[in-house]
Amino acid sequence: MAGDPLENQLDQPQVLVRRIIMVVLALLFVIGIGIFGFQVLQVSDPYIQKVLSLNGDPVRGQAIFEINCADCHGMHADGKVGPSLQHISKHRSPSGLIEQVISGQTPPMPKFQPSPQEMADLLTYLEKL
């Protein structure tokens, strides 16, 4: 008695492997679209757009950092309670850094809402670390 043709197809390792690969590729595609959409939403935020349109002063940014961030991240941004921020711009986009600073979504980091110019100054300082 012959089995179900669909069942016979699934018994073949090549068909199963192809289906698994297709599912994995589809998941990666959906994840990629989600990440891209999140980046677009971040950059479309008026506050972030304003910050990115300004020229920051790293000296003023360092002063802002020392007053607001150094207690947790260390005076030289090398980590203390909070993580090291050395070379942080290699790991985070400018909009990602801004979002991290203003969101307060990573406890115990408090929500911090500097003016756009202050944030541009801080961002320029962080990019130089």
Side-chain angles (χ1 to χ4, degrees), residues 85-108:
L85 299 177
Q86 294 293 319
H87 311 290
I88 190 68
S89 62
K90 291 181 182 176
H91 307 287
R92 289 274 179 114
S93 67
S95 60
L97 285 170
I98 295 167
E99 181 65 29
Q100 180 69 41
V101 169
I102 65 173
S103 73
Q105 292 178 353
T106 311

Side-chain angles (χ1 to χ4, degrees), residues 43-109:
V43 174
S44 67
D45 179 287
Y47 176 81
I48 292 175
Q49 285 181 346
K50 178 68 174 170
V51 171
L52 295 175
S53 73
L54 298 170
N55 291 322
D57 179 345
V59 174
R60 287 192 310 238
Q62 182 175 2
I64 293 166
F65 178 87
E66 289 174 358
I67 293 167
N68 296 286
C69 313
D71 282 348
C72 292
H73 292 285
M75 190 58 88
H76 302 287
D78 52 0
K80 204 172 170 184
V81 174
S84 170
L85 299 177
Q86 294 293 319
H87 311 290
I88 190 68
S89 62
K90 291 181 182 176
H91 307 287
R92 289 274 179 114
S93 67
S95 60
L97 285 170
I98 295 167
E99 181 65 29
Q100 180 69 41
V101 169
I102 65 173
S103 73
Q105 292 178 353
T106 311
M109 189 167 160

Side-chain angles (χ1 to χ4, degrees), residues 11 17 27 33 41 43 52 78 81 85 96 107 113-114:
D11 288 340
V17 168
L27 286 172
I33 292 295
L41 285 175
V43 174
L52 295 175
D78 52 0
V81 174
L85 299 177
Q113 188 75 40

